[in-house]
Structures are given as structure tokens and as C-alpha cells.
Amino acid sequence: MTYIHQTNPIAIPVPGGKTIDEHFGIPSTGEPSMSVAHMIAPPGWGEPFQTPSFDEYTLMVRGEKQIEIDGKIIILKAGESLKVEKGTRVRYSNPFSVDAEYWSICHPAFSIDQVNREDV
């Protein structure tokens, strides 16, 4: 096959009201080399620090997302993007009053076994 036309992304359940629609990746297409997902994080959403074994690219569509890396806080806004390299300790959240809508691309593909989240 020379292409995959994705018309039915997989909805991945996540605590805290965040929605993830994975277009390409392990659960949706069995693709282990990369994943592409559309996400909406509601106001007040956040997850613990993690040190993933994959590179993660974030492309903001709407709202803002807060990223904590190496003691710095980055506020990613619509139209901006960020690459966080594997092995980096990072925390993602949306402490703002509107939804944060973005696309996430992980290389290799996102896997819960490779995210290495810290206990809260």
C-alpha cells in the first residue's frame, strides 16, 4: 500500500477530561515508528512529570499549553511549536481558562510503557 487515508482515528481514554484522537500510531494503525494525535486539554488539566523514551513535537492550534522543562516554564501559544527530545524530564499542563488544542507527533510512536511518568 502506498498510502493510508485515516477516516476513523482511535479515541484514547485519558483521565482529567483530555481527549486524544490518534490518527497514526500503535493503537490506531499498528505503526511503531511514529504517532500523530489530535488533542484537546481542558482548563485545569495536567499530568505528572515524565521522562519519555521518544521525541515529542507539539503544534498548537488554539489556546495555550504550559510546559515545564529543566526548571523553566514555556507557554506555547496557537501557531507555535515545540520539540522535546527523548530523555528530557517534562511536565505538560493547561492552567489557563480555555481549552488547549494541539497536535502531538512522537518518534518513535507514543507508548505508555515508554512515557516514564513519575508517581504523584
Side-chain angles (χ1 to χ4, degrees):
M1 179 181 289
T2 59
Y3 67 91
I4 298 172
H5 178 187
Q6 178 60 279
T7 60
N8 190 25
I10 301 294
I12 306 212
V14 180
K18 179 179 171 183
T19 62
I20 300 176
D21 291 325
E22 185 183 82
H23 286 255
F24 300 96
I26 296 168
S28 57
T29 59
E31 174 60 52
S33 67
M34 72 177 290
S35 57
V36 178
H38 178 248
M39 303 190 189
I40 299 177
W45 167 84
E47 51 189 21
F49 275 98
Q50 57 193 13
T51 308
S53 299
F54 48 79
D55 293 336
E56 184 166 2
Y57 302 81
T58 301
L59 295 88
M60 288 300 296
V61 175
R62 176 174 54 92
E64 298 174 313
K65 182 178 172 184
Q66 179 172 291
I67 301 104
E68 297 174 59
I69 304 172
D70 297 329
K72 293 183 181 179
I73 293 179
I74 298 166
I75 307 300
L76 203 59
K77 299 178 181 183
E80 298 178 348
S81 59
L82 179 74
K83 176 187 178 187
V84 177
E85 294 184 351
K86 64 183 171 186
T88 300
R89 185 174 182 261
V90 60
R91 181 178 186 272
Y92 299 103
S93 64
N94 178 10
F96 308 106
S97 61
V98 298
D99 287 346
E101 180 181 2
Y102 57 98
W103 287 85
S104 176
I105 300 165
C106 298
H107 180 260
F110 177 91
S111 165
I112 197 69
D113 299 333
Q114 301 297 318
V115 75
N116 303 314
R117 286 196 179 112
E118 297 177 10
D119 295 330
V120 179

